[in-house]
Short mmCIF file of all heavy atoms in Angstrom, two decimals:
data_model
loop_
_atom_site.label_atom_id
_atom_site.label_comp_id
_atom_site.label_asym_id
_atom_site.label_seq_id
_atom_site.Cartn_x
_atom_site.Cartn_y
_atom_site.Cartn_z
N GLY A 300 0.85 -1.20 -0.01
CA GLY A 300 -0.01 -0.04 0.02
C GLY A 300 0.87 1.27 0.01
O GLY A 300 2.10 1.15 -0.11
N PRO A 301 0.25 2.41 0.11
CA PRO A 301 0.93 3.69 0.11
C PRO A 301 2.07 3.77 1.16
O PRO A 301 3.17 4.28 0.90
CB PRO A 301 -0.08 4.71 0.30
CG PRO A 301 -1.35 4.03 -0.05
CD PRO A 301 -1.18 2.61 0.23
N THR A 302 1.85 3.21 2.34
CA THR A 302 2.83 3.28 3.38
C THR A 302 4.07 2.44 3.01
O THR A 302 5.18 2.90 3.23
CB THR A 302 2.25 2.77 4.72
OG1 THR A 302 1.06 3.55 4.98
CG2 THR A 302 3.23 2.92 5.88
N ALA A 303 3.83 1.28 2.49
CA ALA A 303 4.97 0.41 2.09
C ALA A 303 5.73 1.01 0.92
O ALA A 303 6.94 0.85 0.78
CB ALA A 303 4.47 -0.97 1.71
N ALA A 304 5.00 1.71 0.02
CA ALA A 304 5.67 2.26 -1.19
C ALA A 304 6.35 3.55 -0.93
O ALA A 304 7.22 3.96 -1.68
CB ALA A 304 4.59 2.47 -2.27
N ALA A 305 6.01 4.24 0.16
CA ALA A 305 6.52 5.62 0.39
C ALA A 305 8.07 5.69 0.35
O ALA A 305 8.61 6.57 -0.30
CB ALA A 305 5.98 6.19 1.72
N PRO A 306 8.79 4.79 1.00
CA PRO A 306 10.26 4.87 0.97
C PRO A 306 10.83 4.72 -0.46
O PRO A 306 11.83 5.25 -0.80
CB PRO A 306 10.75 3.72 1.86
CG PRO A 306 9.60 3.44 2.75
CD PRO A 306 8.34 3.72 1.90
N LEU A 307 10.12 3.98 -1.27
CA LEU A 307 10.62 3.72 -2.63
C LEU A 307 10.36 4.94 -3.55
O LEU A 307 10.98 5.05 -4.59
CB LEU A 307 9.90 2.50 -3.24
CG LEU A 307 10.09 1.21 -2.51
CD1 LEU A 307 9.26 0.07 -3.09
CD2 LEU A 307 11.56 0.82 -2.48
N LEU A 308 9.44 5.83 -3.11
CA LEU A 308 9.11 6.99 -3.95
C LEU A 308 9.92 8.19 -3.55
O LEU A 308 9.64 9.30 -3.96
CB LEU A 308 7.59 7.26 -3.79
CG LEU A 308 6.71 6.17 -4.30
CD1 LEU A 308 5.20 6.49 -4.03
CD2 LEU A 308 6.87 5.88 -5.79
N ARG A 309 10.91 8.01 -2.74
CA ARG A 309 11.77 9.14 -2.31
C ARG A 309 13.15 8.97 -2.83
O ARG A 309 13.68 7.89 -2.92
CB ARG A 309 11.74 9.23 -0.77
CG ARG A 309 10.35 9.45 -0.24
CD ARG A 309 10.36 10.34 0.94
NE ARG A 309 9.03 10.80 1.29
CZ ARG A 309 8.52 11.95 0.99
NH1 ARG A 309 9.25 12.84 0.36
NH2 ARG A 309 7.33 12.29 1.37
N GLY A 310 13.79 10.13 -3.12
CA GLY A 310 15.20 10.11 -3.57
C GLY A 310 16.12 9.99 -2.41
O GLY A 310 15.76 9.85 -1.24
N SER A 311 17.44 10.13 -2.71
CA SER A 311 18.46 9.99 -1.69
C SER A 311 18.39 11.00 -0.56
O SER A 311 18.84 10.73 0.57
CB SER A 311 19.84 10.01 -2.34
OG SER A 311 20.03 11.21 -2.98
N ARG A 312 17.86 12.17 -0.85
CA ARG A 312 17.77 13.22 0.20
C ARG A 312 16.39 13.25 0.88
O ARG A 312 16.05 14.11 1.60
CB ARG A 312 18.02 14.63 -0.44
CG ARG A 312 19.41 14.79 -0.87
CD ARG A 312 19.66 16.19 -1.31
NE ARG A 312 21.02 16.34 -1.68
CZ ARG A 312 21.46 17.30 -2.52
NH1 ARG A 312 20.60 18.14 -3.04
NH2 ARG A 312 22.73 17.38 -2.82
N GLY A 313 15.57 12.20 0.60
CA GLY A 313 14.27 12.10 1.26
C GLY A 313 13.23 12.91 0.52
O GLY A 313 12.10 13.03 0.99
N LEU A 314 13.57 13.52 -0.60
CA LEU A 314 12.61 14.34 -1.39
C LEU A 314 11.88 13.41 -2.33
O LEU A 314 12.40 12.38 -2.79
CB LEU A 314 13.33 15.38 -2.17
CG LEU A 314 14.13 16.43 -1.33
CD1 LEU A 314 14.99 17.26 -2.25
CD2 LEU A 314 13.18 17.25 -0.48
N PRO A 315 10.63 13.76 -2.68
CA PRO A 315 9.92 12.96 -3.68
C PRO A 315 10.74 12.89 -4.96
O PRO A 315 11.37 13.84 -5.36
CB PRO A 315 8.63 13.74 -3.87
CG PRO A 315 8.46 14.58 -2.70
CD PRO A 315 9.86 14.89 -2.21
N LEU A 316 10.73 11.70 -5.60
CA LEU A 316 11.50 11.49 -6.80
C LEU A 316 11.18 12.51 -7.89
O LEU A 316 12.04 12.98 -8.59
CB LEU A 316 11.36 10.11 -7.35
CG LEU A 316 12.11 9.04 -6.53
CD1 LEU A 316 11.79 7.65 -7.09
CD2 LEU A 316 13.60 9.24 -6.57
N LEU A 317 9.94 12.79 -8.06
CA LEU A 317 9.51 13.80 -9.07
C LEU A 317 10.23 15.13 -8.83
O LEU A 317 10.71 15.74 -9.73
CB LEU A 317 8.03 14.00 -9.08
CG LEU A 317 7.48 15.00 -10.13
CD1 LEU A 317 7.87 14.52 -11.54
CD2 LEU A 317 6.02 15.13 -10.07
N HIS A 318 10.28 15.52 -7.58
CA HIS A 318 10.98 16.79 -7.19
C HIS A 318 12.47 16.67 -7.60
O HIS A 318 13.05 17.61 -8.14
CB HIS A 318 10.83 17.08 -5.73
CG HIS A 318 11.72 18.24 -5.23
ND1 HIS A 318 11.36 19.52 -5.45
CD2 HIS A 318 12.94 18.29 -4.69
CE1 HIS A 318 12.30 20.31 -4.99
NE2 HIS A 318 13.30 19.55 -4.56
N CYS A 319 13.10 15.54 -7.29
CA CYS A 319 14.48 15.36 -7.63
C CYS A 319 14.77 15.46 -9.07
O CYS A 319 15.73 16.10 -9.52
CB CYS A 319 14.96 13.99 -7.09
SG CYS A 319 15.01 13.86 -5.29
N VAL A 320 13.88 14.91 -9.90
CA VAL A 320 14.03 15.00 -11.32
C VAL A 320 13.90 16.40 -11.84
O VAL A 320 14.70 16.90 -12.62
CB VAL A 320 13.01 14.07 -12.06
CG1 VAL A 320 13.01 14.29 -13.58
CG2 VAL A 320 13.31 12.60 -11.76
N CYS A 321 12.94 17.14 -11.28
CA CYS A 321 12.73 18.52 -11.71
C CYS A 321 13.92 19.39 -11.36
O CYS A 321 14.40 20.18 -12.16
CB CYS A 321 11.45 19.13 -11.05
SG CYS A 321 9.93 18.39 -11.62
N ARG A 322 14.47 19.23 -10.14
CA ARG A 322 15.60 19.99 -9.73
C ARG A 322 16.87 19.64 -10.47
O ARG A 322 17.72 20.42 -10.68
CB ARG A 322 15.89 19.80 -8.22
CG ARG A 322 14.94 20.54 -7.35
CD ARG A 322 15.22 22.04 -7.32
NE ARG A 322 16.51 22.30 -6.67
CZ ARG A 322 17.33 23.20 -7.10
NH1 ARG A 322 17.13 23.92 -8.16
NH2 ARG A 322 18.48 23.39 -6.51
N MET A 323 16.99 18.36 -10.93
CA MET A 323 18.16 17.90 -11.67
C MET A 323 18.28 18.70 -12.97
O MET A 323 19.36 19.02 -13.41
CB MET A 323 17.97 16.41 -11.97
CG MET A 323 19.22 15.81 -12.49
SD MET A 323 19.11 14.07 -12.84
CE MET A 323 18.06 13.43 -11.65
N PHE A 324 17.15 19.08 -13.57
CA PHE A 324 17.20 19.70 -14.87
C PHE A 324 16.95 21.18 -14.78
O PHE A 324 17.05 21.93 -15.74
CB PHE A 324 16.20 19.06 -15.82
CG PHE A 324 16.56 17.64 -16.11
CD1 PHE A 324 15.77 16.64 -15.63
CD2 PHE A 324 17.71 17.32 -16.85
CE1 PHE A 324 16.12 15.30 -15.85
CE2 PHE A 324 18.07 16.00 -17.11
CZ PHE A 324 17.25 14.98 -16.61
N ALA A 325 16.58 21.68 -13.60
CA ALA A 325 16.28 23.11 -13.43
C ALA A 325 17.57 23.91 -13.24
O ALA A 325 18.59 23.39 -12.78
CB ALA A 325 15.38 23.28 -12.19
N SER A 326 17.49 25.15 -13.58
CA SER A 326 18.63 26.07 -13.29
C SER A 326 18.64 26.42 -11.82
O SER A 326 17.74 26.07 -11.07
CB SER A 326 18.50 27.31 -14.14
OG SER A 326 17.32 27.99 -13.88
N GLN A 327 19.63 27.14 -11.36
CA GLN A 327 19.72 27.52 -9.97
C GLN A 327 18.52 28.35 -9.55
O GLN A 327 18.01 29.14 -10.31
CB GLN A 327 21.00 28.25 -9.69
CG GLN A 327 22.23 27.38 -9.67
CD GLN A 327 23.43 28.19 -9.18
OE1 GLN A 327 23.80 29.22 -9.80
NE2 GLN A 327 24.04 27.75 -8.13
N THR A 328 18.16 28.16 -8.26
CA THR A 328 17.06 29.00 -7.74
C THR A 328 17.62 30.40 -7.51
O THR A 328 18.82 30.61 -7.45
CB THR A 328 16.56 28.41 -6.41
OG1 THR A 328 17.59 28.49 -5.42
CG2 THR A 328 16.09 27.02 -6.56
N GLU A 329 16.71 31.35 -7.24
CA GLU A 329 17.09 32.70 -6.97
C GLU A 329 17.98 32.75 -5.74
O GLU A 329 19.02 33.50 -5.72
CB GLU A 329 15.87 33.59 -6.78
CG GLU A 329 16.15 35.05 -6.61
CD GLU A 329 14.86 35.85 -6.45
OE1 GLU A 329 13.89 35.60 -7.22
OE2 GLU A 329 14.88 36.70 -5.55
N GLY A 330 17.64 32.01 -4.72
CA GLY A 330 18.47 31.98 -3.47
C GLY A 330 19.85 31.40 -3.71
O GLY A 330 20.84 31.93 -3.20
N GLU A 331 19.92 30.33 -4.50
CA GLU A 331 21.25 29.73 -4.83
C GLU A 331 22.10 30.76 -5.58
O GLU A 331 23.32 30.89 -5.27
CB GLU A 331 21.06 28.49 -5.69
CG GLU A 331 20.47 27.28 -4.95
CD GLU A 331 20.08 26.19 -5.82
OE1 GLU A 331 19.79 26.42 -7.03
OE2 GLU A 331 19.98 25.01 -5.34
N LEU A 332 21.53 31.47 -6.52
CA LEU A 332 22.28 32.49 -7.25
C LEU A 332 22.76 33.60 -6.34
O LEU A 332 23.89 34.06 -6.45
CB LEU A 332 21.40 33.03 -8.39
CG LEU A 332 21.12 32.11 -9.53
CD1 LEU A 332 20.06 32.70 -10.46
CD2 LEU A 332 22.37 31.77 -10.31
N ARG A 333 21.88 34.04 -5.43
CA ARG A 333 22.24 35.13 -4.52
C ARG A 333 23.42 34.69 -3.59
O ARG A 333 24.40 35.43 -3.45
CB ARG A 333 21.03 35.54 -3.72
CG ARG A 333 21.31 36.76 -2.76
CD ARG A 333 20.09 37.19 -2.01
NE ARG A 333 19.66 36.13 -1.07
CZ ARG A 333 18.57 35.40 -1.17
NH1 ARG A 333 17.74 35.62 -2.20
NH2 ARG A 333 18.23 34.46 -0.30
N VAL A 334 23.32 33.51 -3.00
CA VAL A 334 24.36 33.01 -2.13
C VAL A 334 25.69 32.84 -2.89
O VAL A 334 26.77 33.20 -2.43
CB VAL A 334 23.94 31.71 -1.42
CG1 VAL A 334 25.09 31.08 -0.65
CG2 VAL A 334 22.76 32.01 -0.48
N THR A 335 25.58 32.27 -4.09
CA THR A 335 26.74 32.07 -4.94
C THR A 335 27.46 33.40 -5.23
O THR A 335 28.69 33.51 -5.16
CB THR A 335 26.37 31.39 -6.25
OG1 THR A 335 25.79 30.09 -5.95
CG2 THR A 335 27.59 31.15 -7.15
#
C-alpha cells in the first residue's frame, strides 16, 4: 500500500523523486544564485 511504497518513492535526500528529477534539470534557484 501507500505506506509500504513511500520509501521507494523518495530520492536519496528524502525528497519525492519527481521533485529530484525537476531539480536535476532546473537552473539554480534565486536563493542559490544570490548566495553564490
Side-chain angles (χ1 to χ4, degrees):
T302 305
L307 301 174
L308 299 175
R309 299 217 168 259
S311 61
R312 291 187 178 156
L314 299 171
L316 284 177
L317 181 58
H318 171 80
C319 293
V320 171
C321 291
R322 283 287 292 140
M323 192 181 323
F324 297 110
S326 59
Q327 284 189 302
T328 65
E329 186 178 315
E331 289 169 337
L332 291 170
R333 184 177 65 250
V334 171
T335 300

